[in-house]
Amino acid sequence: MPNKFTASESQLKPDPRYQDLVVSKFINCIMYDGKKATAQRIVYDAFDMIQNRLDKEKPETLPKTAIELFQKALENVRPSVEVRSKRVGGANYQVPMQLNKRRAQSLTFRWIIEAVREEKGKPVALRLAKELYDAAKGEGKAVTTRENTHRMADANKAFAHFAW
């Protein structure tokens, strides 16, 4: 029987600019049709735009560098619970469940990338920079998705005893 996960975690190399595994994983998630150089250019251009904006505006509540802002954005979007549908006695219940780190990170990346891809009309790097900047401030579509997920889990906590 095959393992549940591949060896991708151990094969993942840090990204060339920041030497960060999380950025490397994010680049891999942005990647489309195996075009890694394009994905790297999108992410690094977005980071450059964020850095320019941080240097210009110098907000006191946000970090000073783009990589720190990226980490703060991920922290603000990362969910702690989700609802899963569970069938019990002929009825489906939305059961709130705790998330492990890997699932939380994959949901975080997915929500940010979905928010970026939904918006049309501007270059992807510009949309990504805007979404990350908004997420670091606690705003944006990805943060709204997280809040909705938490709200749904809170509304269905009466069914938490079905989580086994």
Side-chain angles (χ1 to χ4, degrees), residues 4 6 12-13 18-19 21 26 30 37 40 42 46 48 54-55 62-63 66 89 95 100 103 111 128-129 143 147 156:
K4 189 172 182 182
T6 62
L12 187 66
K13 291 180 174 56
Y18 298 105
Q19 303 301 317
L21 286 172
F26 188 70
I30 290 274
Q40 280 180 334
I42 288 168
D48 291 342
L54 287 172
D55 291 341
L62 295 177
V95 180
N100 63 23
R103 173 82 175 144
W111 291 343
L128 178 61
V143 175
E147 288 170 356
N156 290 307

Side-chain angles (χ1 to χ4, degrees), residues 3-34:
N3 290 337
K4 189 172 182 182
F5 297 109
T6 62
S8 65
E9 204 68 29
S10 60
Q11 293 174 348
L12 187 66
K13 291 180 174 56
D15 75 294
R17 190 187 285 189
Y18 298 105
Q19 303 301 317
D20 191 346
L21 286 172
V22 178
V23 174
S24 181
K25 183 81 172 160
F26 188 70
I27 288 170
N28 286 348
C29 290
I30 290 274
M31 183 170 53
Y32 201 72
D33 279 344

